[in-house]
């Protein structure tokens, strides 16, 4: 969380209580050090998927399926990419247990390769949350998959606030910060997008395809 701790605790506490499955997934993420979306970011994904009526979503970075679960619970069918076989298998198992196996297409594949195989303009929502050094390449690919009016979401654009303060912290080095600042500058300057940046969770950029 990049907000004042009391504010962060308050807004997190306003999220619905997780069901047993989501609680189990989050606990596994914590235990095994798997980076998954903040609780409020999960809530944002779910609400935006539902509010936009997104039927088809594409995601870079499945991990164990927490963000995928939120998007699917928001009503979208989610195509998601992950390169770690254990995480991919765990996500498949959790989504099956959630009763959402038919709402997801979980691919054990490099996102750059997999995105190139999908239908241009065929998606209502894109979520980028994969390797940070892949963000620039994945941005162009995911935007190309969105229909006009489609919604792009990008996680970690503030990197615990370090992107704004330029002070390296935790896993975020000076190189990470510089790369993310350059990425966000590119994102906001794209003429085919109207982007806005929010301090939700670890910083989420939202953009609509023109
Ligand atoms: C931040 S985690 C994703 C978290 C997930 N979106 C969530 O919130 O539940 C990023 C994931 O991207 C995966 N990854 C790394 N390189 C990748 C690539 N080239 N293609 C697809 N996924 C990749 C990592 O293994 C990692 O599990």
């Amino acid at each position: 969380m990049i907000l004042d701790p009391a504010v962060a605790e308050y807004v997190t506490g306003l999220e619905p209580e997780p069901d047993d499955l989501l609680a189990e997934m989050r606990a596994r993420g914590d235990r095994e050090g798997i980076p998954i979306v903040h609780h409020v970011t999960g809530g944002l994904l779910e609400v935006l998927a539902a509010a936009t009526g997104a039927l088809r979503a594409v995601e870079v970075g499945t991990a164990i399926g927490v963000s995928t679960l939120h998007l699917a619970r928001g009503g979208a069918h989610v195509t998601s990419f992950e390169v770690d076989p254990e995480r991919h298998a765990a996500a498949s198992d959790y989504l099956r247990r959630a009763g959402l196996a038919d709402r997801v297409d979980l691919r054990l594949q490099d996102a750059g390769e997999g995105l190139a195989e999908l239908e241009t303009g065929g998606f209502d929502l894109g979520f980028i949350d994969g390797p940070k050094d892949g963000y620039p390449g994945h941005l162009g690919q995911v935007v190309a998959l969105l229909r006009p009016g489609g919604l792009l979401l990008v996680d970690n654009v503030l990197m615990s606030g370090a992107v704004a303060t330029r002070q390296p912290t935790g896993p975020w080095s000076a190189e990470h910060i510089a790369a993310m600042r350059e990425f966000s500058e590119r994102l906001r300057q794209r003429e085919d997008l109207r982007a806005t940046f929010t301090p939700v969770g670890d910083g989420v950029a939202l953009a609509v395809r023109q």
Side-chain angles (χ1 to χ4, degrees):
M1 279 283 180
I2 57 182
L3 300 176
D4 173 276
V7 178
E9 188 181 340
Y10 176 71
V11 293
T12 302
L14 294 177
E15 281 296 309
E17 277 298 308
D19 60 15
D20 289 349
L21 185 76
L22 180 55
E24 183 183 329
M25 294 167 81
R26 287 176 176 167
R28 178 174 181 162
D30 287 346
R31 201 172 55 242
E32 298 184 11
I34 299 166
I36 58 180
V37 284
H38 283 266
H39 301 189
V40 286
T41 306
L44 183 73
L45 293 175
E46 196 169 322
V47 168
L48 286 176
T52 58
L55 296 178
R56 296 189 67 198
V58 59
E59 173 181 59
V60 178
T62 320
I64 59 171
V66 173
S67 50
T68 320
L69 179 79
H70 284 291
L71 290 168
R73 284 187 171 166
H77 179 280
V78 190
T79 301
S80 183
F81 297 95
E82 174 58 58
V83 288
D84 181 314
E86 270 185 42
R87 292 182 184 179
H88 166 79
S92 302
D93 190 46
Y94 285 129
L95 272 298
R96 179 190 55 75
R97 286 173 56 197
L100 293 167
D102 61 341
R103 302 199 63 85
V104 296
D105 175 3
L106 303 181
R107 302 192 184 184
L108 179 60
Q109 186 180 20
D110 167 68
E113 281 176 26
L115 291 167
E117 295 168 4
L118 299 178
E119 182 197 347
T120 303
F123 290 82
D124 306 299
L125 187 154
F127 179 47
I128 299 178
D129 190 24
K132 304 315 156 205
D133 60 0
Y135 271 31
H138 295 150
L139 173 66
Q141 288 187 289
V142 172
V143 171
L145 295 177
L146 293 177
R147 64 167 172 79
L151 177 65
L152 172 72
L153 299 160
V154 186
D155 199 16
N156 308 111
V157 295
L158 292 175
M159 296 179 159
S160 313
V163 173
T165 63
R166 299 183 197 255
Q167 298 299 316
T169 181
W172 308 122
S173 67
E175 290 72 30
H176 288 127
I177 293 167
M180 188 59 85
R181 290 185 78 100
E182 191 182 326
F183 170 82
S184 292
E185 196 53 39
R186 257 201 235 180
L187 174 56
R188 67 183 280 270
Q189 286 189 6
R190 282 187 72 117
E191 292 190 351
D192 55 354
L193 295 176
R194 165 64 172 97
T196 189
F197 296 77
T198 77
V200 172
D202 201 32
V204 179
L206 291 79
V208 62
R209 181 162 187 198
Q210 309 286 14

